[in-house]
Amino acid sequence: MRQQRYQPANTLGYLLGGIGRGVVRLVFLFCIGLSLLSGTFWYRSPHTFDVVESATPDHAWMIVSGVDRLVIRSLSQPWGSQDDFVPFDWNYRNMPAATGEDPWQDSGWKLIGIDWGQLTPVPQMPFEGTWVRIKWSTLMVLFAVPPLAWTIWRRVRDRRREFLVAGYCPKCEFPLNACACEDGQDRANLSH
């Protein structure tokens, strides 16, 4: 007599679950949201520079989205004279993207899409600081990988569990008592 292979129910049980999975779901949704946001800025950045900045008398932050990347700058003592400086809270502005030469030097880091360094004072910008540069595509992939990996892991685990509960081997999909796999034979012996 020919054995029937197991046909699992068509459910989305791998995305559902108990209270213990609530935090994982929040991280899952947060990562998907950040991935979509990164994709939106990646699409927008060749055409528009988005700038968010803040300044105090001794420190300034500048976050710039443009030319397919996100640049975060932290500037120490950005003002030559403290007399005419007016501090400001977080401020947003945008402008059309400028075309020109890409200052990002070819390197392994550029291939990955991440780079960082120190700002050295020059006559046009007489201040010191640090910067981090990340490609939007890199951020999009980084935020998309955890939910994707979690979904695949959960689906594989739940499918294996479905097979065992129904009395089928997860490897060959035949009933445990007629299975030729070592794993299936061991489980069949344990169930009797």
Side-chain angles (χ1 to χ4, degrees):
M1 180 173 150
R2 187 160 185 234
Q3 296 290 329
Q4 297 264 330
R5 288 188 145 198
Y6 174 70
Q7 298 296 321
N10 189 6
T11 64
L12 292 177
Y14 62 96
L15 288 176
L16 307 173
I19 294 172
R21 298 184 192 137
V23 172
V24 173
R25 282 193 206 121
L26 285 175
V27 170
F28 180 92
L29 292 173
F30 184 71
C31 285
I32 288 175
L34 287 176
S35 181
L36 292 173
L37 185 68
S38 298
T40 302
F41 275 104
W42 183 22
Y43 174 77
R44 179 182 165 89
S45 67
H47 317 290
T48 306
F49 277 119
D50 293 298
V51 181
V52 178
E53 55 193 349
S54 174
T56 62
D58 58 347
H59 195 84
W61 285 94
M62 183 180 277
I63 303 170
V64 180
S65 169
V67 195
D68 296 334
R69 65 190 64 129
L70 172 70
V71 180
I72 302 170
R73 292 185 183 121
S74 171
L75 311 171
S76 317
Q77 297 186 344
W79 326 109
S81 169
Q82 299 291 332
D83 300 332
D84 57 350
F85 172 73
V86 178
F88 56 90
D89 204 4
W90 289 100
N91 191 6
Y92 169 78
R93 60 189 164 96
N94 67 12
M95 62 193 93
T99 57
E101 190 175 318
D102 186 3
W104 200 336
Q105 303 297 320
D106 287 334
S107 67
W109 292 111
K110 181 178 181 181
L111 184 66
I112 296 171
I114 300 172
D115 201 6
W116 62 90
Q118 297 287 324
L119 290 174
T120 53
V122 293
Q124 299 89 353
M125 297 193 318
F127 42 81
E128 296 178 349
T130 57
W131 54 269
V132 176
R133 181 171 33 204
I134 305 168
K135 285 184 180 178
W136 281 116
S137 56
T138 301
L139 281 175
M140 194 172 84
V141 169
L142 280 175
F143 288 124
V145 166
L148 182 64
W150 181 76
T151 302
I152 291 169
W153 172 78
R154 285 291 309 260
R155 184 61 192 142
V156 167
R157 187 189 75 171
D158 289 352
R159 183 171 166 85
R160 182 176 176 81
R161 192 176 288 163
E162 281 178 11
F163 276 105
L164 291 174
V165 167
Y168 289 87
C169 175
K171 285 184 180 176
C172 67
E173 301 178 0
F174 284 103
L176 285 173
N177 57 3
C179 175
C181 301
E182 258 184 55
D183 190 37
Q185 290 294 327
D186 292 342
R187 290 192 186 279
N189 292 336
L190 289 176
S191 65
H192 293 304

